[in-house]
């Protein structure tokens, strides 16, 4: 009952996964000679994380080890920052994306890279992120809109952040659009069972349209248009919209 001690856990401790320490008792015997002992954890059947224990040759003076729970995690939000040209999403225009990478776990994550399912990513890697920290400037991405995208009416894609935790183990996350209240065009969203990893969807303006020109090619016979003579017509059918039109 005489002694107690306290220690405040640091980020370095959580990154290590444990706190290890010893105490030393010192006194004097009846002859005035010093008497000391280094503390023992009281469990000589297992080793401590740094290899102390039965194998260190002195199983009676093992450090006391407090195991700390590690929860490595990343969260990536991917948003559209702009569309070039008209801004409506025509073929050949470029969608630009921005990313917010957050360490929402409790251990430091290092060497964070980003890849995207269809867009070209620039920037990075992020050297390290402490728990609770976010990075909003390192990564950007761009994608050139195709005719298939305009025909679909949207561009949908995701990004993946990858890093390593303090133990060297991989930590990954699939990006979220940041809006969990609506579904994406292919049914992703609240109904997919994982509303935290929805694809980022860019809606493209569709303008389906046809233009037909009809001209007289010829008149049979005299060519003046008598009863029984035949008028022949030519047609030019043009798709003057921005989506493919079929079965015309």
């Amino acid at each position: 009952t005489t002694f107690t001690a306290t220690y405040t856990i640091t980020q370095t401790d959580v990154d290590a996964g444990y706190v290890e320490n010893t105490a030393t008792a010192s006194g004097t015997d009846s002859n005035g000679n010093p008497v000391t002992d280094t503390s023992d954890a009281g469990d000589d059947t297992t080793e401590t994380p740094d290899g102390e224990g039965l194998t260190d040759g002195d199983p009676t003076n093992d450090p006391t080890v407090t195991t700390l729970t590690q929860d490595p995690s990343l969260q990536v939000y991917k948003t559209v920052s702009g569309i070039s040209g008209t801004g409506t999403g025509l073929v050949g225009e470029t969608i630009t994306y921005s990313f917010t990478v957050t360490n929402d776990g409790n251990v430091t994550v290092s060497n964070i890279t980003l890849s995207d399912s269809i867009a070209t990513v620039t920037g990075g890697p992020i050297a390290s992120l402490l728990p609770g920290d976010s990075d909003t400037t390192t990564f950007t991405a761009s994608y050139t809109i195709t005719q298939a995208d305009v025909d679909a009416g949207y561009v949908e894609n995701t990004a993946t952040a990858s890093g390593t935790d303090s133990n060297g183990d991989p930590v990954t996350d699939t990006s979220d659009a940041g809006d969990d209240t609506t579904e994406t065009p292919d049914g992703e969203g609240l109904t997919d069972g994982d509303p935290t990893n929805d694809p980022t969807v860019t809606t493209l303006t569709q303008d389906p349209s046809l233009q037909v020109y009809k001209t007289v090619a010829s008149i049979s016979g005299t060519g003046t248009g008598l009863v029984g003579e035949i008028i022949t017509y030519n047609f030019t059918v043009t798709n003057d919209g921005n989506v493919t039109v079929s079965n015309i």
Side-chain angles (χ1 to χ4, degrees):
T1 60
T2 297
F3 300 108
T4 60
T6 60
Y7 174 75
T8 302
I9 297 168
T10 68
Q11 185 60 56
T12 300
D13 298 327
V14 179
D15 287 347
Y18 62 93
V19 173
E20 172 187 307
N21 59 343
T22 57
T24 301
S26 303
T28 55
D29 66 11
S30 55
N31 298 313
N33 297 318
V35 182
T36 64
D37 183 60
T38 301
S39 63
D40 182 59
D43 180 3
D44 296 328
T45 61
T46 59
E47 291 186 0
T48 59
D50 66 352
E52 295 289 324
L54 292 175
T55 60
D56 69 351
D58 186 4
T60 63
N61 287 317
D62 298 334
T64 298
V65 178
T66 307
T67 302
L68 307 179
T69 300
Q70 292 180 308
D71 182 25
S73 180
L74 289 174
Q75 174 65 62
V76 183
Y77 288 104
K78 174 183 179 180
T79 56
V80 175
S81 55
I83 303 176
S84 66
T86 66
T88 60
L90 301 181
V91 173
E93 293 183 340
T94 301
I95 305 171
T96 303
Y97 299 96
S98 59
F99 301 88
T100 299
V101 183
T102 301
N103 182 339
D104 61 345
N106 71 342
V107 298
T108 302
V109 179
S110 304
N111 195 34
I112 301 167
T113 59
L114 194 75
S115 61
D116 192 281
S117 57
I118 60 173
T120 301
V121 177
T122 58
I126 301 171
S128 65
L129 274 182
L130 292 171
D133 284 354
S134 295
D135 181 291
T136 60
T137 60
T138 296
F139 298 110
T140 59
S142 61
Y143 174 75
T144 302
I145 297 167
T146 68
Q147 185 61 58
D149 299 324
V150 178
D151 288 348
Y154 63 93
V155 172
E156 172 187 309
N157 59 336
T158 56
T160 301
S162 303
T164 54
D165 66 12
S166 54
N167 299 312
D169 296 323
V171 183
T172 63
D173 182 62
T174 301
S175 63
D176 182 58
D179 180 3
D180 297 327
T181 61
T182 58
E183 291 186 0
T184 58
D186 66 350
E188 294 287 324
L190 292 175
T191 61
D192 70 351
D194 187 6
T196 60
N197 287 317
D198 298 336
T200 298
V201 177
T202 308
T203 302
L204 307 178
T205 300
Q206 293 181 307
D207 182 25
S209 179
L210 290 175
Q211 175 65 62
V212 183
Y213 289 101
K214 175 182 176 181
T215 58
V216 174
S218 63
I219 302 175
S220 66
T222 65
T224 59
L226 300 180
V227 172
E229 292 182 339
I230 297 171
I231 305 171
T232 302
Y233 299 95
N234 283 339
F235 300 88
T236 300
V237 183
T238 302
N239 181 342
D240 62 343
N242 71 342
V243 298
T244 301
V245 180
S246 305
N247 197 33
I248 301 167

